[in-house]
């Protein structure tokens, strides 16, 4: 009887141990708006592999690219509800909720791709992430990017006046909308998968886009005028649902934070490494390329500053940090 009792106790203990391990194991879901071929999606897959390996197979991550789970606004709602675990998001949707993040889109805040990456890796940028849990219900674990912004248009743009009345496709968020309104254009929000056809049928006259997306999705086939302006950087943030984060122990949090931040940073390194080559690849296409600098958008930049300086308290701190990093 005693032996039977001992065996039963051992069996129950073993069962509880298995149950505990099973309860901790998770299959996380991570959403993105970028297509499978995009570097964001590729690094999301890399993060999934790293987390699975580093957790000894305990955790896995299912990746949902190309807006399979909805647009970014919808995914943020899912993250807040805890029905989506993780995402790689443009900072656009975050800046709509936390105006301080709009400061990262200040026109000509940085000079080039390397300067942008250095600022996103700075202490002041990391400090900004601390506001996310309280104001959005999301935990920001690190930054990536989508390169520097350029303008690709169906018709030539030789001066800032040529932007007047142009329907320019933008990512739907306030900082970039305000910039193009200040430039006299008609900013037109469109999801990335709709852009090619919108250029083809004249729904939009131009697009605000980075080198990589222009070449990868072959937008130059429908618009053959490229204004190389580098007028804004385009940050990305890797996030975890606050509700999901609250269910994790410290060990899993640090495991996820480390792997996710690493692969987000890989995205920045990728853009740094390939930015110039992608620009040269586009220059090799049958398109007209016009190089412009900050003076081209001087009036629009001044108007943008007047709008955003009062509500983006981090703007002077970021400008100060950017100035130091430029030295």
């Amino acid at each position: 009887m005693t032996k039977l009792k001992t065996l039963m106790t051992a069996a129950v203990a073993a069962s509880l141990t298995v149950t505990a391990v099973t309860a901790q194991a998770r299959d996380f879901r991570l959403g993105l708006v970028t297509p499978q071929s995009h570097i964001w999606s590729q690094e999301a897959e890399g993060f999934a592999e790293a987390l699975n390996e580093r957790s000894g197979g305990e955790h896995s991550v299912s990746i949902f690219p190309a807006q399979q789970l909805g647009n970014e606004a919808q995914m943020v709602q899912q993250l807040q509800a805890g029905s989506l675990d993780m995402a790689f998001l443009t900072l656009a949707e975050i800046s709509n909720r936390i105006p301080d993040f709009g400061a990262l889109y200040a026109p000509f805040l940085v000079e080039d791709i390397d300067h942008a990456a250095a600022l996103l890796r700075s202490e002041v940028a990391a400090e900004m992430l601390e506001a996310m849990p309280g104001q959005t219900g999301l935990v920001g674990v690190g930054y990536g990017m989508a390169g520097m912004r350029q303008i690709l248009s169906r018709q030539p743009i030789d001066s800032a006046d040529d932007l007047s009345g142009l329907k320019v496709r933008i990512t739907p968020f306030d900082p970039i909308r305000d910039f193009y309104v200040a430039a006299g254009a008609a900013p037109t929000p469109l999801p990335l998968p709709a852009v090619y056809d919108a250029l083809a049928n004249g729904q939009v006259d131009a697009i605000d886009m980075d080198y990589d997306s222009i070449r990868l999705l072959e937008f130059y086939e429908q618009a053959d005028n490229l204004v190389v302006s580098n007028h804004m950087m385009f940050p990305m943030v890797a996030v975890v649902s606050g509700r999901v984060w609250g269910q994790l122990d410290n060990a899993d949090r640090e495991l996820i934070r480390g792997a996710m931040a690493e692969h987000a940073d890989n995205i920045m390194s990728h853009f740094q490494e390939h930015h110039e080559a992608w620009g040269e690849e586009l220059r090799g296409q049958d398109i007209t390329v016009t190089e412009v600098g900050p003076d081209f958008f001087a009036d629009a930049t001044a108007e943008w500053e007047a709008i955003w300086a009062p509500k983006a308290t981090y703007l002077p701190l970021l400008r100060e940090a950017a100035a130091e990093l430029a030295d």
Side-chain angles (χ1 to χ4, degrees), residues 302-320:
E303 188 171 330
W304 189 95
E305 291 277 342
I307 295 169
W308 280 89
K311 59 183 179 180
T313 58
Y314 266 86
L315 185 55
L317 296 174
L318 287 167
R319 289 209 178 278
E320 181 181 348

Side-chain angles (χ1 to χ4, degrees), residues 124-264:
V124 65
E127 183 180 297
M128 293 174 71
L129 295 177
E130 295 175 8
M132 287 184 62
Q135 297 189 49
T136 65
L138 311 181
V139 176
V141 302
Y143 292 102
M145 66 162 64
M148 304 296 293
R149 307 309 280 183
Q150 324 295 346
I151 302 172
L152 187 72
S153 62
R154 288 157 53 94
Q155 300 298 324
I157 297 176
D158 298 317
S159 72
D161 292 339
D162 291 332
L163 282 167
S164 180
L166 283 191
K167 294 174 289 184
V168 181
R169 181 270 174 184
I170 64 165
T171 307
F173 69 115
D174 294 345
I176 201 166
R177 181 205 64 196
D178 291 343
F179 174 74
Y180 279 104
V181 168
T188 306
L190 279 177
L192 191 62
V195 172
Y196 188 94
D197 288 343
L199 279 172
N201 63 30
Q203 183 182 351
V204 294
D205 304 304
I207 61 174
D208 178 274
M209 198 70 64
D210 61 278
Y211 283 157
D212 187 34
S213 295
I214 291 171
R215 69 174 194 92
L216 190 65
L217 301 175
E218 300 180 335
F219 293 138
Y220 55 81
E221 293 181 346
Q222 301 300 332
D224 58 1
N225 298 275
L226 177 65
V227 177
V228 177
S229 54
N230 293 311
H231 55 275
M232 287 179 184
M233 64 174 171
F234 204 78
M236 178 274 274
V237 63
V239 301
V240 179
S241 162
R243 288 181 179 270
V244 172
W245 193 256
Q247 299 167 5
L248 302 173
D249 61 27
N250 288 334
D252 280 342
R253 288 179 182 179
E254 290 312 305
L255 197 64
I256 290 168
R257 185 189 297 276
M260 205 173 197
E262 175 186 319
H263 285 273

